[in-house]
Amino acid sequence: FGTNGAEGTVPEYTSVFYPAGKLASLRTGWDANSVSAFIIGRIGGTHAHSHTNHIGIYAYGRYLLADTGMASYDSSHPWFNWQRNRKISHNTVEIDGKGPKSGKTTVSMEQNDGMDFYDCTSTENANVPHTRKVTFIKDRKFFIVSDFLEKTAQRLYRSG
């Protein structure tokens, strides 16, 4: 990407899954007109964004769903709290206006010649686990993104 194809070779693969990093790239190819999605299945990271289950989509030469990133790591910047702590700034589900940063994720990806299947369940919000499933139909350049939220049983105790 840095040399715009002037150096290096085109990878033999298109989509790829990195299980240790819990990252996936679903794509049709490597040229500027390719369709691709980048998905983050991990919690936090070195810059501690609240971006678990983030999806970014690039198609037809432009971003269709972009991650807002961080305009600044200075907490006095007007967008700092929104970009760092709000899941909605990272194209993922936010519950009760919060972006928790702890919990666990289970991530998997299956691939065949025609389709990619990505699955991530996050327990960041212990009361409402979030599962995101992404199906990529390669020859149609079409993504199906499904989000599932399941409220877990809770017991309320009263004292006295």
Side-chain angles (χ1 to χ4, degrees), residues 97-115:
K98 298 175 184 169
K101 293 180 186 149
S102 63
K104 295 181 180 180
T105 58
T106 304
V107 184
S108 64
M109 187 166 138
E110 300 292 329
Q111 300 172 267
N112 63 41
D113 290 340
M115 299 170 69

Side-chain angles (χ1 to χ4, degrees), residues 156-160:
L156 302 175
Y157 296 96
R158 297 171 92 175
S159 60

Side-chain angles (χ1 to χ4, degrees), residues 88-101:
I88 58 173
S89 73
H90 300 287
N91 303 321
T92 189
V93 174
E94 183 171 284
I95 299 167
D96 295 332
K98 298 175 184 169
K101 293 180 186 149

Side-chain angles (χ1 to χ4, degrees), residues 62-129:
R62 64 177 182 231
Y63 286 100
L64 301 180
L65 279 178
D67 187 327
T68 63
M70 287 292 289
S72 172
Y73 283 91
D74 176 358
S75 62
S76 68
H77 190 280
W79 299 341
F80 174 82
N81 285 326
W82 181 74
Q83 290 178 317
R84 183 174 178 113
N85 300 317
R86 300 291 305 272
K87 293 179 84 56
I88 58 173
S89 73
H90 300 287
N91 303 321
T92 189
V93 174
E94 183 171 284
I95 299 167
D96 295 332
K98 298 175 184 169
K101 293 180 186 149
S102 63
K104 295 181 180 180
T105 58
T106 304
V107 184
S108 64
M109 187 166 138
E110 300 292 329
Q111 300 172 267
N112 63 41
D113 290 340
M115 299 170 69
D116 295 329
F117 305 93
Y118 172 88
D119 189 310
C120 177
T121 298
S122 168
T123 61
E124 280 185 301
N125 185 321
N127 296 327
V128 186

